[in-house]
């Protein structure tokens, strides 16, 4: 089968790529575009390591085809920090030691961004349910939840 | 004594040196390397749990489009000496579990590699699989390995019991006769997986000169080097291993699976070969820990004093010997003074993947059994479960069941802290149950090396060889900053590859902060000695007249010298005039890894309609000796607790009648998610380890040990009867409730 041409926006940049029709967006990001910050933990939609935002919505990139990126805006972990430095969420994950091995961290940070974009003041239960699609085997989630709470407070303070 | 030290860096909670790379997606993990001209390797895995391989025909696969190499067991003749390891990497005469690697191909694209796997023709003679300990240990059992004799004793018939272990003390029968109360329990716990989120991955590049480089995610790249060399029949010096960042291991990344296949196919093609496992491969062919069958028996006087105890343990080894019966036996009664005991362990072959280390390997299962029995004992004696444990607690001077006498240990301190913890003094929530258990891990030392380099502005680079799985670079940098007397920000810690740093054993056994940390401290002391010597030279004094205080060389009190102190930067800047660059080194085989004890308690509530168990609160109290970076110590305690809770409540390998795992994915092998868990409360106890310069004890293993029994005991507390087996998944709990209701 011939490769498909796709025009999309990734982290604010206009990007064109060719991909096989069967390739997942995760494979395209990692293997074709070199954006390896998005991780594969399962490729079946069960771990959230591959989380990205599509037009602001949280999506498992392993469950989406590369060709479906046509005309949308993709945000990956590489697009979370700005020119002026780390995003508050990233800063809080660091301060709270909310990562041990760090393989789940890109997915968690993208998921946290998606949460706080839509709900700037989530309670603990909301945070835990929102992040239930992201597996972390190292931290037991305690420090992750605290980092998210602290980031939310900081963002509220800045706003 | 570490207590008396006035610490500046140690005990603070700075951001880890590798942190920014890990929150921005820049950190490169096992699967993140892409090289020009790279081929993709894939593995053909056995569809049978037990079969003889009559032939493997690679002809059609080799001829397929895009395929440049294909290999089977026959292509690894050099690995004969590597024995089981080589046979696990790629099967030879028999496949021993569903998912066992049989052949591999390398092609230009993943799709081509996948298509080529279908063209490999394997002729099997299917055999009956041996899928349970009962089956494996029964008389006349089918043999997983026809030439396996227990403990190598060929005077007895072949057996699936590969090895046994026994500890004995005193007179067991007399001890039980002395007891007023005796409790016996029996427990089965199925296989569980480490569940690291990053699947195994590696990329190998073989050069024309016979040298190969392997990039992979591992807990020990020096071990990958030697094990890969063994399987390939290569010289160790021909292989260089670069450790990528590692996305979790918990013991499961202390061996090799893909590496020899990738190197071999790179040698055959002259091109880099990348291989990654799918999640399904990870479940079917790597890591699990033993499924177990444990019997515990313990007797005590009316006042709670233990008089005797025994444990009988049978652990699934999987397809090759090596279940963690040693640690299982060592741990089961380690927390207690028991005058009369017998502990027996059995390492049993079954047609399941070869087990690998999983956090405190072997201890959670055996201690689940004994800590359940002790809980029943406390009930029969009408004693508080912490008081009963305190009454019998091991302390400095206690002789461990496995031989040595404990130096200073912190078990009593953990129990006392738990007893007065606000979560314990609070009443048990309405309708819920509370469970208590103790955990233990002996911890290991082993070999480590470290180098410390000082740049001309005084910047400190620590180079060591222990892959950083949970923030160990931060601990190394903190210990270096403390020892040298410089700010943490002046230090960077790096994990070097097998050719850029000295030998280190695996990151495992909770040895890194202890042993590699000790090497880092000694390498810093080497720097200090050199600095004192350089300052003496500069000042025209004797070395003995110079001191090192707060990161500066100063004349000792009473030495008459009108000089300004020299900082690390001052000395480094002038190093060319005083003997050349500052380079500190240390290598050691660390002794005296202090045991780490814990006490965990939890409140859980069972929904008696659905059988679902909710964890309302969980409190972990553990002796860390000295918490170098307290956040990462807490993180170990919290992460281990949640793994233990997952094991207690949900996680298990489920097999069908043909020996095929039915739940080889995260959807059906359900590890805890954020919404399943409460906050995990921690309290770090610090009883300094006398054998470490700052008192460190390893903390990584112990946290997973106690949760299994703590959760079981809490469920028992609410229901009024014990469900001995794990996991306490809704179907099992519901069935038990129904059965009780029927009586
Ligand atoms: S890799 Fe997409 S959810 Fe696991
Ligand atoms: S930090 Fe390792 S999986 Fe989350």
């Amino acid at each position: 089968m011939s490769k498909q041409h796709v025009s999309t926006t990734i982290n604010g940049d206009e990007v064109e790529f060719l991909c096989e029709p069967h390739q997942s967006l995760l494979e395209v990001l990692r293997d074709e575009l070199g954006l390896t910050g998005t991780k594969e933990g399962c490729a079946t939609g069960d771990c959230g390591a591959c989380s990205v935002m599509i037009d602001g919505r949280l999506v498992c990139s392993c469950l989406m085809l590369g060709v479906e990126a046509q005309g949308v805006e993709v945000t990956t972990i590489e697009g979370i920090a700005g020119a002026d430095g780390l995003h508050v969420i990233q800063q809080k994950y660091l301060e709270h030691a909310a990562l041990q091995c760090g393989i789940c961290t890109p997915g968690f940070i993208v998921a946290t961004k998606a949460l706080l974009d839509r709900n700037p003041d989530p309670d603990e239960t909301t945070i835990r349910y929102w992040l239930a699609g992201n597996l972390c085997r190292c931290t037991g989630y305690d420090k992750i939840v605290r980092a998210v709470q602290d980031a939310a407070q900081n963002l509220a303070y800045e706003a | 004594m570490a207590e008396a030290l006035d610490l500046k860096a140690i005990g603070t909670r700075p951001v880890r040196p590798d942190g920014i790379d890990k929150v921005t997606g820049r950190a490169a993990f096992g699967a993140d390397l892409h090289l020009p001209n790279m081929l993709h390797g894939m593995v053909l895995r056995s569809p049978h749990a037990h079969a003889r391989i009559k032939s493997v025909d690679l002809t059609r696969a080799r001829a397929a489009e895009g395929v440049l190499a294909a290999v089977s067991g026959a292509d690894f003749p050099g690995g004969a000496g590597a024995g089981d390891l080589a046979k696990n990497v790629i099967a030879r005469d028999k496949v021993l579990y569903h998912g066992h690697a049989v052949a591999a191909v390398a092609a230009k694209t993943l799709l081509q590699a996948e298509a080529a796997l279908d063209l490999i023709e394997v002729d099997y003679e299917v055999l009956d699989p041996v899928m349970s300990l009962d089956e494996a240990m029964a008389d006349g059992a089918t043999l997983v390995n026809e030439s396996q004799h227990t403990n190598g004793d060929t005077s007895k018939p072949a057996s699936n019991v590969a090895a046994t272990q026994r500890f004995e003390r005193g007179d067991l029968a007399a001890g039980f006769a002395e007891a007023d109360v005796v409790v016996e329990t029996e427990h089965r716990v199925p296989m569980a997986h480490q569940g690291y989120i990053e699947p195994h991955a590696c990329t190998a590049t073989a050069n024309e000169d016979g040298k190969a480089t392997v990039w992979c995610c591992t807990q020990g790249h020096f071990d990958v080097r030697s094990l890969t060399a063994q399987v390939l029949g290569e010289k160790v010096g021909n292989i260089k291993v670069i450790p990528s960042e590692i996305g979790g291991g918990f013991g499961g990344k202390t061996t090799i699976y893909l590496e020899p296949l990738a190197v071999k196919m790179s040698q055959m093609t002259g091109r880099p070969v990348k291989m990654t496992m799918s999640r399904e491969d990870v479940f079917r062919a790597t890591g699990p820990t033993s499924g177990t069958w444990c019997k515990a028996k313990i007797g005590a006087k009316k006042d709670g004093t233990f008089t005797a105890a025994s444990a009988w343990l049978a652990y699934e080894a999987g397809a090759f010997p090596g279940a963690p019966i040693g640690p299982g036996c060592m741990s089961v009664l380690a927390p207690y003074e028991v005058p009369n005991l017998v502990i027996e362990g059995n390492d049993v072959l079954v047609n399941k993947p070869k087990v690998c280390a999983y956090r405190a390997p072997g201890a959670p299962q055996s201690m689940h059994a004994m800590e359940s029995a002790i809980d029943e004992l406390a009930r029969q004696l009408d004693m508080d479960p912490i008081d009963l444990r305190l009454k019998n607690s091991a302390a400095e001077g206690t002789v461990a069941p496995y031989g040595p006498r404990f130096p200073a240990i912190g078990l009593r301190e953990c129990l006392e802290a738990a007893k007065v913890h606000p979560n314990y003094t609070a009443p048990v929530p309405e309708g819920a149950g509370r469970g208590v258990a103790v955990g233990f891990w002996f911890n290991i030392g082993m070999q480590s090396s470290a180098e410390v380099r000082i740049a001309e502005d005084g910047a400190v680079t620590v180079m060591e060889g222990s892959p950083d799985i949970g923030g160990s670079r931060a601990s190394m940098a903190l210990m270096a900053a403390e020892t040298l007397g410089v700010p943490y920000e002046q230090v960077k810690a790096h994990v070097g590859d097998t050719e850029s740093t000295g030998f280190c054993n695996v990151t495992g056994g909770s040895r890194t902060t202890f042993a590699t940390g000790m090497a880092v401290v000694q390498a810093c002391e080497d720097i200090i000695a050199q600095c004192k010597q350089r300052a003496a030279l500069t000042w025209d004094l004797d070395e003995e007249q110079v001191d090192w205080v707060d990161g500066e060389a100063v004349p000792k009190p009473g030495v008459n010298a009108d000089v300004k102190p020299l900082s690390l930067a001052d000395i480094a800047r002038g190093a060319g005039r005083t003997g050349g660059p500052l380079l500190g080194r240390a290598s050691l085989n660390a002794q005296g890894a202090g045991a780490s004890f814990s006490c965990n308690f939890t409140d859980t509530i069972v929904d008696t309609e659905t059988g679902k168990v909710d964890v309302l609160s969980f409190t972990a109290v553990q002796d860390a000796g000295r918490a170098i970076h307290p956040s990462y110590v807490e993180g170990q305690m919290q992460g281990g607790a949640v793994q233990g809770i997952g094991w207690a409540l949900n996680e298990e390998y489920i097999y069908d009648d043909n020996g095929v795992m039915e739940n080889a994915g995260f959807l059906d092998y359900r590890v805890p998610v954020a919404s399943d868990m409460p906050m995990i409360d921690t309290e770090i106890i610090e009883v300094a380890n006398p054998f470490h310069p700052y008192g460190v004890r390893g903390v990584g293993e112990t946290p997973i040990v106690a949760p299994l029994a703590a959760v079981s005991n809490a469920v028992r507390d609410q229901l009024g009867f014990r469900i001995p087996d794990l996991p306490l998944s809704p179907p099992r709990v519901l069935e038990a409730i129904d059965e009780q209701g029927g009586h």
Side-chain angles (χ1 to χ4, degrees):
Chain A
M1 217 177 289
S2 67
K3 290 202 175 188
Q4 310 285 306
H5 178 267
V6 178
S7 306
T8 187
T9 306
I10 301 180
N11 301 326
D13 294 342
E14 282 175 23
V15 174
E16 294 184 44
F17 60 81
L18 294 175
C19 74
E20 305 278 352
H22 66 267
Q23 273 185 305
S24 69
L25 176 60
L26 176 62
E27 289 172 308
V28 170
L29 289 172
R30 291 180 51 81
D31 302 340
E32 309 298 331
L33 302 175
L35 292 168
T36 55
T38 306
K39 303 300 179 192
E40 178 184 311
C42 68
T44 51
D46 301 314
C47 78
C50 63
S51 299
V52 299
M53 282 192 278
I54 302 294
D55 293 335
R57 268 185 43 244
L58 184 62
V59 167
C60 289
S61 62
C62 71
L63 293 184
M64 181 173 157
L65 291 172
V67 292
E68 293 178 286
Q70 174 68 39
V72 304
E73 290 204 21
V74 184
T75 308
T76 70
I77 183 66
E78 288 90 349
I80 302 291
D84 47 346
L86 295 181
H87 190 279
V88 174
I89 296 169
Q90 293 168 311
Q91 194 58 43
K92 291 301 167 191
Y93 269 71
L94 288 178
E95 285 170 17
H96 285 267
L99 51 141
Q100 285 177 31
C101 78
I103 193 81
C104 69
T105 310
F108 268 97
I109 287 176
V110 171
T112 304
K113 176 88 167 52
L115 168 64
L116 299 184
D117 282 352
R118 82 172 46 198
N119 180 353
D121 186 26
D123 61 13
E124 184 188 333
T125 307
T126 307
I127 294 171
R128 287 186 179 275
Y129 276 89
W130 181 269
L131 296 178
N134 291 74
L135 299 181
C136 174
R137 193 58 160 171
C138 298
T139 64
Y141 304 106
D142 185 299
K143 293 187 188 304
I144 291 176
V145 173
R146 289 176 203 276
V148 176
Q149 289 172 326
D150 195 5
Q153 269 191 358
N154 259 263
L155 286 167
Y157 186 72
E158 279 172 18
Chain B
M1 279 302 285
E3 275 83 359
L5 297 174
D6 170 23
L7 298 172
K8 296 196 169 65
I10 286 175
T12 62
R13 300 172 182 245
V15 167
R16 59 199 279 176
D18 53 326
I20 289 183
D21 284 350
K22 286 183 176 156
V23 297
T24 53
R26 269 178 227 138
F29 288 81
D32 294 344
L33 188 67
H34 290 256
L35 295 174
N37 257 339
M38 190 170 78
L39 302 178
H40 298 269
M42 282 192 92
V43 173
L44 179 72
R45 297 185 178 277
S46 169
H48 308 293
H50 194 191
R52 221 173 290 286
I53 299 176
K54 290 162 62 181
S55 65
V56 182
D57 186 350
L58 300 170
T59 321
R60 287 176 61 215
R62 283 195 174 121
E65 194 192 340
V67 173
L68 296 184
V71 293
S72 68
D75 293 292
F76 294 81
D84 291 347
L85 174 73
K87 287 188 197 160
N88 194 41
V89 165
I90 192 157
R92 277 140 208 260
D93 40 350
K94 268 176 112 180
V95 286
L96 296 172
Y97 53 93
H98 178 261
H100 197 163
V102 175
V105 299
K108 290 179 187 167
T109 71
L110 259 181
L111 262 197
Q112 290 170 333
E114 206 176 341
L117 293 184
D118 287 340
L119 303 175
I120 299 173
E121 287 161 28
V122 188
D123 194 7
Y124 295 103
E125 176 195 340
V126 179
L127 305 169
D128 281 341
V130 182
M131 297 307 296
S132 72
L133 287 163
D134 303 67
E135 262 178 77
M137 298 177 84
D139 288 337
T142 300
L143 293 172
V144 175
N145 176 352
E146 294 79 2
S147 48
Q148 180 72 57
H149 296 264
T150 307
N151 300 323
D153 179 358
T154 46
S155 69
K156 305 243 173 65
S159 165
N160 288 320
V161 179
T164 58
Q165 168 125 33
R166 189 180 165 91
F167 295 129
E168 195 169 353
R169 170 193 295 167
D171 181 338
L172 192 68
F176 280 125
E178 256 181 79
D180 295 313
V181 183
V182 175
V183 169
E184 273 189 87
T185 60
E186 186 172 341
H187 310 264
R188 288 164 194 273
V189 180
M191 267 187 169
H193 199 275
Q194 294 83 346
Y196 31 82
I197 305 301
E198 177 196 36
H200 298 258
C202 74
T203 302
T205 314
N207 274 356
E208 289 71 7
D209 63 1
K211 308 255 197 256
T213 301
V214 180
W215 158 280
C216 64
C217 49
T218 175
Q219 290 174 244
H221 41 303
F222 289 92
D223 290 72
V224 170
R225 180 176 68 169
S226 59
L227 298 178
T228 303
Q230 275 175 40
V231 172
L232 292 169
E234 284 279 357
K235 291 200 177 80
V236 165
N238 280 347
I239 296 175
K240 167 180 171 178
V241 182
I242 306 174
S244 68
E245 295 305 322
I246 168 174
F250 313 108
K253 289 178 183 162
T254 53
T255 186
I256 55 168
Y257 299 101
L258 301 172
E259 290 80 0
L261 307 177
V263 171
K264 183 64 151 194
M265 293 196 289
S266 181
Q267 287 171 336
M268 292 164 77
T269 58
R271 293 170 67 159
V273 175
K274 176 174 181 170
M275 300 184 78
T276 57
M277 283 196 191
S278 67
R279 177 57 50 185
E280 188 181 335
D281 293 345
V282 172
F283 275 114
R284 294 198 194 287
T286 75
T289 188
S290 302
T292 55
W293 172 17
C294 298
K295 300 178 197 177
K297 183 175 176 186
I298 187 154
K301 300 229 201 231
K302 280 204 189 72
D303 70 351
T305 309
F306 294 167
T307 59
S310 66
W312 179 90
L313 317 173
Y315 282 27
E316 293 175 345
F320 300 97
I325 56 168
C329 291
M330 287 166 74
S331 305
V332 63
L333 284 165
Y336 305 110
E337 293 269 10
V338 186
N340 305 290
L341 60 82
V342 172
I343 302 167
E344 294 173 293
N346 296 274
D347 179 9
V348 187
L349 299 184
V350 290
N351 289 115
K352 298 182 182 179
K354 174 174 166 47
V355 299
C356 199
Y358 179 21
R359 211 165 194 163
Q365 300 100 314
S366 66
M367 290 188 76
H368 164 254
M370 192 56 74
E371 291 294 304
S372 296
I374 291 172
D375 190 68
E376 290 301 327
L377 191 64
R379 288 170 194 284
Q380 294 199 20
L381 293 166
D382 199 20
M383 274 180 87
D384 175 275
I386 294 183
D387 286 341
L388 176 60
R389 287 170 171 89
L390 265 171
K391 175 133 194 107
N392 297 284
S393 145
E396 184 168 357
T398 300
V399 177
Y402 51 92
R405 197 173 282 280
F406 285 125
I409 53 172
L411 174 57
R412 242 173 228 168
E413 289 76 359
C414 288
L415 289 164
E416 281 161 0
K419 189 78 199 287
V420 299
H421 194 286
N423 291 356
Y424 198 73
T425 53
V428 180
E430 180 74 28
R434 178 168 296 167
V436 174
V438 155
F440 160 82
W441 185 249
F442 44 89
N443 288 325
I444 58 171
M446 312 205 334
Q447 301 178 77
S448 284
S449 325
E451 256 187 43
V452 174
R453 305 159 185 173
I454 313 296
E456 58 269 36
D457 65 351
V460 180
T461 301
V462 174
M463 206 36 138
E464 38 95 4
S466 293
D468 179 355
I469 314 191
S472 59
R473 289 182 185 93
S475 307
M476 299 304 153
L478 282 167
M479 284 185 274
E482 187 73 54
T483 308
L484 293 169
V486 302
Y488 170 80
E489 294 69 29
Q490 201 173 320
V491 185
K492 279 269 185 253
H494 295 276
V495 179
D497 63 49
T498 53
E499 294 186 358
S500 63
T501 189
F503 183 90
C504 278
N505 282 122
V506 292
T507 293
S510 292
R511 61 175 293 281
T512 298
T513 310
F514 170 72
T516 305
M518 200 188 287
V520 168
V521 170
Q522 290 185 8
C524 290
E525 285 166 349
D526 187 12
I527 291 283
I528 293 172
Q530 294 174 34
C531 285
K532 291 204 281 198
Q533 187 218 340
R534 308 292 178 99
L537 202 66
T538 309
W539 294 334
D540 208 12
L541 294 174
D542 282 345
E543 241 173 280
E544 292 71 46
Q545 294 176 299
V546 180
D547 231 346
W548 187 259
V549 179
D550 290 338
E552 293 181 323
V554 292
K556 277 206 174 134
V559 174
N560 192 8
D562 183 19
V563 293
K564 276 214 226 102
L566 290 173
S567 69
L568 197 56
D570 295 333
I571 297 170
R573 207 176 301 117
R577 293 191 301 275
T578 55
L582 293 171
L583 174 64
R585 291 185 308 177
S587 72
L588 48 78
N589 187 350
Q591 306 297 318
S596 175
F597 287 88
S598 69
C599 177
N600 291 179
F601 57 91
T602 181
D603 293 343
T604 64
I605 189 156
V606 182
D607 180 334
T608 51
E609 304 263 293
T610 62
K612 180 169 184 284
V613 180
D614 280 324
V615 179
L616 303 177
S617 70
F618 194 100
T619 310
V621 183
Q622 189 185 328
D623 177 19
R626 166 77 60 198
I628 301 297
H629 191 306
S631 296
Y632 289 109
V633 174
E634 292 162 2
Q636 290 295 318
M637 292 164 72
Q638 291 165 333
V642 169
Q643 280 184 320
I645 294 168
W647 200 348
L649 293 182
N650 266 310
E651 297 179 34
E652 63 177 315
Y653 269 48
I654 300 170
Y655 282 95
D656 72 9
D657 292 343
N658 297 317
V660 178
M661 185 190 182
E662 292 185 303
N663 58 334
F666 278 137
L667 186 61
D668 299 311
Y669 183 99
R670 196 174 178 288
V671 305
V673 301
S675 54
D676 295 330
M677 287 297 124
M679 292 295 188
I680 305 295
D681 295 327
T682 57
E683 183 171 342
I684 301 172
I685 303 297
E686 293 187 315
V687 175
N689 174 9
F691 299 98
H692 184 275
Y694 294 112
V696 166
R697 297 171 193 276
V699 294
E701 323 281 301
T702 301
I704 201 175
V705 180
L708 279 65
V711 170
S712 293
N713 294 343
V715 170
R716 157 74 178 85
D717 190 43
Q718 178 193 337
L719 294 180
F721 62 90
R722 180 167 298 278
I723 307 173
D725 300 345
L726 297 181
L728 299 172
S729 52
R732 170 169 284 132
V733 172
L734 209 54
E735 194 185 309
I737 291 172
D738 286 348
E739 257 174 41
Q740 286 290 319
H743 290 312

